[in-house]
Amino acid sequence: MQIDYDILIVGGGMVGASLAHALAGSGLRIGVIEAWPLDSDAQPSYDDRVIALSWGSRRIMDGMGLWPLLQPEAEPITGIHISERGQFGFARLNSRQEGVEALGYVATARAMGAALQKGLQAQADVEWLCPATLLSFSVTDDGVEVRLDRAGTEQRVGARLLVAADGGDSPVRGRLAIPLQERSYGQTAIIANVTAEQPHQGIAYERFTDSGPLAMLPMTEGRCSLVWSARDDQVADIMALADDVFLQRLQHRFGYRLGQLQRVGRRVAYPLRYRQATESVRPRIALIGNAAHAIHPVTGQGYNLGLRDVAVLADLLADAARERSDPGEMALLNRYTEWRHQDQRRVALITDSLARLFANPLPPLRFARNLGLLGLDALPGLKHLVARQFMGLNGRLPRLARGIPLR
């Protein structure tokens, strides 16, 4: 089999493009299969959704040299306020107490895509195969042969390692018949930009309600990004509301911490599901990002978890390139699985537990969790551990997550 690439990435969205950028200049030949043309505004990964970036993700982007391209479009999160609607408990996290410039940042997926594409334009060792659709692939001892459809013409390419960054409905994972642990939360996230009467001052609000968590994240131009988790049976009615009625309903659930809510942008709804692939590697194949796991958006950890997949896999592959060893060998892929297992499971457990715990209406449980919030607010040591988890700084960190370039 002819080997055209060392690494062939299926999916040129945020996670796949991040991996390509992380590996650029490492001496590896990299190909990216993407269904959309590079100049297409319809690329679903680069729409107007808002991405919450942890402090750890900012360090990864620093290590990749991408942060200067994104920083002008990223709004710092200097504080987090956590509460439950109609209850007494609350907790606050603050960047000054953690000794960092910000706990995280908020940017649109479109701005992220622009930074990634600009950063990759100058990389001669990254080749885009797009628009192209994966037809099939076959694995041998030496590599993976991939069949592509490019504008009605079949093309075959070979690689040492195939990386699936092709989203929650990953065709690669499906063709491998890797089982999923999966369940629905019975909730749908309603996403929109909101302008309030008072400035957000860099504070992110996480407010738990009887229908699911409701987040208001600080954005540029004084706006906030709304992530409203509503029950599935409520979504059609909420989406059909006129803007003024929608704002009234939102005001009732969020409160007046930002004063009067004045304006809302276009609303989009996304069903929420928990998904975890039972395997993240097979011979000569690795799964990253949503192809391997999808979690509830509470605490905003989705892309951050995928970016840490990128940082670990890139760390191992860069070492393999320096040592001139096979980037697709099973020993390397097993090290990737072992390194990522604890973080992936911990974040899935935290987000799943929070979504379920705060949805339980039993009065004793409601009282206990509000006492827990007050305890978190009053105990600096515990607050520090929680902040480090949300900032993506717990556990064994790869070089990029410490801000150290791979090249």
Side-chain angles (χ1 to χ4, degrees):
M1 181 179 64
Q2 178 179 331
I3 300 297
D4 304 284
Y5 305 99
D6 296 301
I7 314 296
L8 190 57
I9 303 167
V10 183
M14 288 192 295
V15 171
S18 295
L19 179 62
H21 200 288
L23 292 174
S26 65
L28 296 168
R29 296 166 296 165
I30 304 155
V32 183
I33 301 169
E34 172 54 45
W36 296 92
L38 288 180
D39 58 356
S40 173
D41 290 333
Q43 220 287 13
S45 292
Y46 300 145
D47 58 18
D48 291 323
R49 281 175 297 171
V50 164
I51 306 298
L53 295 168
S54 67
W55 177 256
S57 292
R58 180 250 165 95
R59 293 207 305 198
I60 292 173
M61 292 191 160
D62 264 332
M64 292 163 59
L66 276 176
W67 184 246
L69 298 176
L70 182 61
Q71 187 172 16
E73 303 294 330
E75 183 71 16
I77 299 174
T78 56
I80 300 175
H81 187 283
I82 309 165
S83 64
E84 182 172 4
R85 179 174 178 261
Q87 302 299 315
F88 60 87
F90 67 90
R92 297 159 296 183
L93 305 177
N94 187 282
S95 60
R96 291 192 305 275
Q97 294 173 350
E98 298 304 319
V100 293
E101 172 188 300
L103 297 171
Y105 298 83
V106 180
T108 65
R110 195 173 302 281
M112 288 280 300
L116 285 164
Q117 295 296 341
K118 186 174 181 180
L120 283 169
Q121 283 175 1
Q123 307 297 341
D125 50 359
V126 178
E127 182 179 352
W128 287 83
L129 307 174
C130 68
T133 304
L134 178 73
L135 295 176
S136 66
F137 59 87
S138 57
V139 179
T140 70
D141 290 341
D142 299 324
V144 183
E145 185 176 55
V146 177
R147 291 175 56 243
L148 301 175
D149 179 352
R150 302 193 68 179
T153 300
E154 182 178 315
Q155 179 180 354
R156 293 175 183 258
V157 294
R160 296 292 183 200
L161 174 67
L162 185 70
V163 179
D166 49 351
D169 295 320
S170 167
V172 173
R173 188 191 65 226
R175 290 178 181 278
L176 292 170
I178 294 177
L180 278 176
Q181 296 174 352
E182 183 176 18
R183 59 177 171 269
S184 170
Y185 287 102
Q187 297 174 355
T188 294
I190 299 171
I191 314 292
N193 293 340
V194 175
T195 301
E197 177 185 13
Q198 298 175 9
H200 54 61
Q201 298 181 323
I203 306 300
Y205 294 91
E206 187 78 61
R207 189 156 171 77
F208 292 95
T209 78
D210 56 358
S211 65
L214 188 156
M216 292 279 268
L217 307 177
M219 290 183 67
T220 56
E221 302 175 2
R223 300 166 299 164
C224 292
S225 172
L226 167 68
V227 185
W228 179 352
S229 299
R231 292 197 304 267
D232 289 343
D233 59 3
Q234 300 173 325
V235 172
D237 289 340
I238 295 174
M239 293 293 287
L241 294 174
D243 284 355
D244 58 340
V245 182
F246 178 87
L247 287 171
Q248 290 173 12
R249 183 85 63 90
L250 175 60
Q251 189 92 63
H252 180 66
R253 301 195 75 75
F254 177 71
Y256 287 84
R257 288 178 176 81
L258 294 172
Q260 193 78 32
L261 302 178
Q262 298 176 329
R263 192 162 62 251
V264 62
R266 185 173 68 95
R267 290 167 249 165
V268 183
Y270 297 94
L272 301 179
R273 301 185 69 83
Y274 166 84
R275 285 178 169 178
Q276 180 72 47
T278 58
E279 303 168 73
S280 57
V281 299
R282 286 280 181 88
R284 302 222 167 255
I285 297 174
L287 275 58
I288 62 175
N290 284 350
H293 43 71
I295 57 176
H296 196 285
V298 61
T299 76
Q301 293 299 302
Y303 174 64
N304 298 295
L305 192 62
L307 194 57
R308 294 200 291 275
D309 292 347
V310 166
V312 167
L313 186 57
D315 199 295
L316 296 170
L317 291 174
D319 282 347
R322 275 189 291 272
E323 296 164 4
R324 299 185 182 279
S325 59
D326 184 349
E329 66 179 6
M330 203 62 205
L332 183 151
L333 298 180
N334 286 335
R335 289 199 298 274
Y336 164 72
T337 296
E338 292 164 6
W339 195 339
R340 292 300 300 135
H341 177 78
Q342 185 175 2
D343 183 35
Q344 290 175 357
R345 293 292 178 179
R346 181 172 57 239
V347 171
L349 177 62
I350 290 171
T351 55
D352 188 62
S353 298
L354 285 173
R356 292 175 174 278
L357 173 66
F358 279 89
N360 193 313
L362 290 175
L365 189 57
R366 182 184 299 157
F367 183 76
R369 66 194 179 220
N370 277 269
L371 285 181
L373 285 176
L374 291 177
L376 172 62
D377 195 64
L379 296 173
L382 178 60
K383 189 184 294 190
H384 176 64
L385 289 176
V386 171
R388 284 186 62 83
Q389 176 62 46
F390 289 163
M391 289 192 292
L393 301 180
N394 283 339
R396 178 188 171 198
L397 300 179
R399 282 166 289 184
L400 287 175
R402 289 176 277 141
I404 302 172
L406 296 180
R407 52 185 186 275

